[in-house]
Amino acid sequence: MGAGKSTVGRRLARRLGLEFIDTDEAIESAAGCSAAEIFERFGEAEFRDGERRLVARLIDGEVRVIATGGGAFVDPRTRSLLNERAITIWLDAPVEILANRTSRRDTRPLLRNGDPKRTLERLAEERGPSYAEAHIRVTSGSAAHGEVVESIVTAIEKHLDGQDRQAAS
Protein backbone atom coordinates (compact mmCIF):
# COMPACT_ATOMS: atom_id res chain seq x y z
CA MET A 1 0.00 0.00 0.00
CA GLY A 2 1.32 3.35 -1.03
CA ALA A 3 4.26 2.08 -3.09
CA GLY A 4 2.81 3.65 -6.23
CA LYS A 5 1.43 0.60 -8.03
CA SER A 6 -1.51 2.44 -9.59
CA THR A 7 0.19 5.74 -10.37
CA VAL A 8 3.41 4.19 -11.66
CA GLY A 9 1.43 1.44 -13.42
CA ARG A 10 -0.62 3.98 -15.37
CA ARG A 11 2.51 5.86 -16.42
CA LEU A 12 4.30 2.63 -17.32
CA ALA A 13 1.37 1.52 -19.47
CA ARG A 14 1.38 4.87 -21.31
CA ARG A 15 5.16 4.65 -21.77
CA LEU A 16 4.86 1.14 -23.24
CA GLY A 17 1.66 1.79 -25.21
CA LEU A 18 -0.25 -0.85 -23.27
CA GLU A 19 -3.60 -1.05 -21.52
CA PHE A 20 -3.56 -0.51 -17.75
CA ILE A 21 -5.74 -2.41 -15.28
CA ASP A 22 -5.87 -1.81 -11.54
CA THR A 23 -7.34 -4.97 -10.01
CA ASP A 24 -8.73 -3.13 -6.98
CA GLU A 25 -10.61 -0.72 -9.27
CA ALA A 26 -11.85 -3.60 -11.45
CA ILE A 27 -13.12 -5.51 -8.42
CA GLU A 28 -14.81 -2.42 -7.02
CA SER A 29 -16.46 -1.71 -10.37
CA ALA A 30 -17.74 -5.28 -10.70
CA ALA A 31 -18.95 -5.43 -7.08
CA GLY A 32 -20.48 -1.96 -7.09
CA CYS A 33 -18.78 -1.10 -3.80
CA SER A 34 -15.34 -0.25 -2.43
CA ALA A 35 -12.65 -2.74 -1.49
CA ALA A 36 -13.12 -1.65 2.12
CA GLU A 37 -16.83 -2.53 1.93
CA ILE A 38 -16.03 -5.92 0.39
CA PHE A 39 -13.59 -6.60 3.24
CA GLU A 40 -16.23 -5.61 5.81
CA ARG A 41 -19.07 -7.60 4.25
CA PHE A 42 -17.29 -10.73 3.06
CA GLY A 43 -13.81 -10.72 4.62
CA GLU A 44 -10.33 -10.66 3.18
CA ALA A 45 -10.39 -14.32 2.07
CA GLU A 46 -13.39 -13.72 -0.20
CA PHE A 47 -11.78 -10.56 -1.59
CA ARG A 48 -8.53 -12.43 -2.36
CA ASP A 49 -10.43 -15.26 -4.03
CA GLY A 50 -12.16 -12.80 -6.37
CA GLU A 51 -8.86 -11.05 -6.95
CA ARG A 52 -7.18 -14.33 -7.94
CA ARG A 53 -9.96 -15.15 -10.43
CA LEU A 54 -9.68 -11.67 -11.95
CA VAL A 55 -5.88 -11.91 -12.28
CA ALA A 56 -6.25 -15.31 -14.00
CA ARG A 57 -8.62 -13.78 -16.57
CA LEU A 58 -6.43 -10.72 -17.11
CA ILE A 59 -3.21 -12.59 -17.81
CA ASP A 60 -4.95 -14.81 -20.35
CA GLY A 61 -5.61 -11.82 -22.57
CA GLU A 62 -3.39 -9.36 -24.36
CA VAL A 63 -0.19 -7.99 -22.88
CA ARG A 64 -0.99 -5.20 -20.44
CA VAL A 65 0.20 -3.57 -17.23
CA ILE A 66 -1.69 -4.92 -14.23
CA ALA A 67 -1.48 -3.36 -10.78
CA THR A 68 -2.57 -5.85 -8.15
CA GLY A 69 -3.53 -5.09 -4.58
CA GLY A 70 -0.75 -5.29 -2.01
CA GLY A 71 -1.95 -8.66 -0.71
CA ALA A 72 -2.49 -10.37 -4.07
CA PHE A 73 1.11 -11.46 -4.50
CA VAL A 74 1.16 -12.95 -1.00
CA ASP A 75 -1.38 -15.57 -2.06
CA PRO A 76 0.73 -18.55 -3.25
CA ARG A 77 -1.62 -19.45 -6.10
CA THR A 78 -1.84 -15.89 -7.41
CA ARG A 79 1.93 -15.40 -7.06
CA SER A 80 2.64 -18.65 -8.90
CA LEU A 81 0.22 -17.77 -11.69
CA LEU A 82 1.74 -14.31 -12.12
CA ASN A 83 5.35 -15.51 -11.98
CA GLU A 84 4.67 -18.24 -14.54
CA ARG A 85 2.78 -16.10 -17.05
CA ALA A 86 3.87 -12.49 -16.56
CA ILE A 87 6.82 -10.32 -15.64
CA THR A 88 6.33 -9.43 -12.00
CA ILE A 89 7.68 -6.25 -10.44
CA TRP A 90 7.98 -5.40 -6.75
CA LEU A 91 7.76 -1.66 -6.16
CA ASP A 92 9.63 -1.45 -2.89
CA ALA A 93 9.42 1.65 -0.71
CA PRO A 94 10.47 2.44 2.86
CA VAL A 95 7.71 2.16 5.47
CA GLU A 96 8.09 5.86 6.35
CA ILE A 97 7.15 6.83 2.80
CA LEU A 98 4.31 4.30 2.68
CA ALA A 99 2.91 5.65 5.96
CA ASN A 100 3.04 9.20 4.65
CA ARG A 101 1.37 8.34 1.35
CA THR A 102 -1.37 6.16 2.84
CA SER A 103 -2.25 8.72 5.52
CA ARG A 104 -3.74 11.01 2.88
CA ARG A 105 -6.95 8.97 2.43
CA ASP A 106 -8.93 6.54 4.59
CA THR A 107 -9.52 3.99 1.83
CA ARG A 108 -7.20 1.21 3.02
CA PRO A 109 -9.16 -1.45 4.94
CA LEU A 110 -6.07 -2.95 6.57
CA LEU A 111 -5.00 0.45 7.94
CA ARG A 112 -8.29 1.46 9.54
CA ASN A 113 -7.65 -0.09 12.96
CA GLY A 114 -4.67 0.54 15.19
CA ASP A 115 -1.47 2.36 14.29
CA PRO A 116 -1.15 2.50 10.46
CA LYS A 117 2.66 2.76 10.55
CA ARG A 118 2.96 -0.32 12.75
CA THR A 119 0.52 -2.16 10.49
CA LEU A 120 2.65 -1.24 7.47
CA GLU A 121 5.80 -2.41 9.27
CA ARG A 122 4.12 -5.73 10.11
CA LEU A 123 2.84 -6.14 6.55
CA ALA A 124 6.29 -5.36 5.11
CA GLU A 125 7.83 -8.02 7.32
CA GLU A 126 5.11 -10.59 6.56
CA ARG A 127 4.88 -9.89 2.83
CA GLY A 128 8.55 -9.22 2.09
CA PRO A 129 9.48 -12.87 1.45
CA SER A 130 6.61 -13.23 -1.04
CA TYR A 131 7.40 -9.94 -2.75
CA ALA A 132 11.05 -11.02 -3.04
CA GLU A 133 9.89 -13.76 -5.45
CA ALA A 134 9.00 -11.13 -8.07
CA HIS A 135 11.18 -11.17 -11.18
CA ILE A 136 12.17 -7.53 -10.73
CA ARG A 137 12.56 -5.29 -7.69
CA VAL A 138 12.50 -1.51 -8.15
CA THR A 139 12.68 1.05 -5.37
CA SER A 140 9.84 3.55 -5.55
CA GLY A 141 10.86 5.63 -2.54
CA SER A 142 11.01 9.39 -3.00
CA ALA A 143 12.01 9.31 -6.68
CA ALA A 144 9.70 10.98 -9.17
CA HIS A 145 7.21 8.62 -10.79
CA GLY A 146 8.79 9.18 -14.19
CA GLU A 147 12.16 8.03 -12.83
CA VAL A 148 10.57 4.92 -11.36
CA VAL A 149 8.95 4.14 -14.72
CA GLU A 150 12.29 4.47 -16.50
CA SER A 151 13.91 2.20 -13.90
CA ILE A 152 11.19 -0.37 -14.56
CA VAL A 153 11.63 -0.16 -18.35
CA THR A 154 15.39 -0.69 -17.97
CA ALA A 155 14.83 -3.62 -15.59
CA ILE A 156 12.30 -5.22 -17.96
CA GLU A 157 14.74 -4.91 -20.86
CA LYS A 158 17.48 -6.59 -18.79
CA HIS A 159 15.06 -9.29 -17.67
CA LEU A 160 13.97 -10.03 -21.24
CA ASP A 161 17.58 -9.98 -22.47
CA GLY A 162 18.45 -12.56 -19.80
CA GLN A 163 15.55 -14.77 -20.95
CA ASP A 164 16.72 -14.49 -24.58
CA ARG A 165 20.22 -15.60 -23.55
CA GLN A 166 18.83 -18.56 -21.63
CA ALA A 167 16.71 -19.61 -24.60
CA ALA A 168 19.72 -19.43 -26.91
CA SER A 169 21.80 -21.67 -24.64
Side-chain angles (χ1 to χ4, degrees):
M1 286 177 277
K5 296 179 299 292
S6 297
T7 303
V8 170
R10 278 186 186 85
R11 288 180 176 221
L12 178 64
R14 271 195 308 270
R15 167 76 165 72
L16 299 175
L18 298 172
E19 177 186 15
F20 172 76
I21 303 283
D22 181 302
T23 60
D24 284 349
E25 289 175 6
I27 290 168
E28 288 175 349
S29 177
C33 60
S34 72
E37 290 171 312
I38 296 169
F39 266 67
E40 288 171 18
R41 289 184 196 165
F42 306 105
E44 184 175 1
E46 186 70 22
F47 180 85
R48 298 293 174 215
D49 187 53
E51 185 176 54
R52 181 177 38 262
R53 290 190 311 263
L54 174 63
V55 166
R57 284 194 309 272
L58 290 173
I59 62 174
D60 267 345
E62 62 193 56
V63 174
R64 62 188 93 196
V65 175
I66 303 169
T68 63
F73 206 70
V74 176
D75 179 87
R77 292 180 292 172
T78 304
R79 183 173 60 252
S80 176
L81 184 64
L82 286 165
N83 274 338
E84 288 171 10
R85 308 204 16 231
I87 298 172
T88 54
I89 301 164
W90 172 15
L91 287 182
D92 190 13
V95 170
E96 294 292 331
I97 289 173
L98 299 177
N100 181 35
R101 289 178 182 168
T102 58
S103 69
R104 298 174 192 158
R105 290 182 291 157
D106 183 28
T107 58
R108 320 274 181 168
L110 296 177
L111 299 182
R112 287 193 167 165
N113 299 317
D115 179 356
K117 184 177 177 208
R118 287 204 178 149
T119 300
L120 288 165
E121 289 169 342
R122 178 182 54 78
L123 289 172
E125 187 175 314
E126 290 172 0
R127 294 175 172 182
S130 296
Y131 291 173
E133 291 184 32
H135 298 119
I136 296 169
R137 179 180 182 177
V138 173
T139 301
S140 71
S142 58
H145 291 129
E147 292 175 36
V148 176
V149 167
E150 291 310 313
S151 294
I152 292 170
V153 169
T154 299
I156 290 170
E157 289 169 350
K158 287 180 184 176
H159 177 77
L160 292 173
D161 184 47
Q163 285 185 331
D164 288 345
R165 289 182 188 180
Q166 286 179 344
S169 298

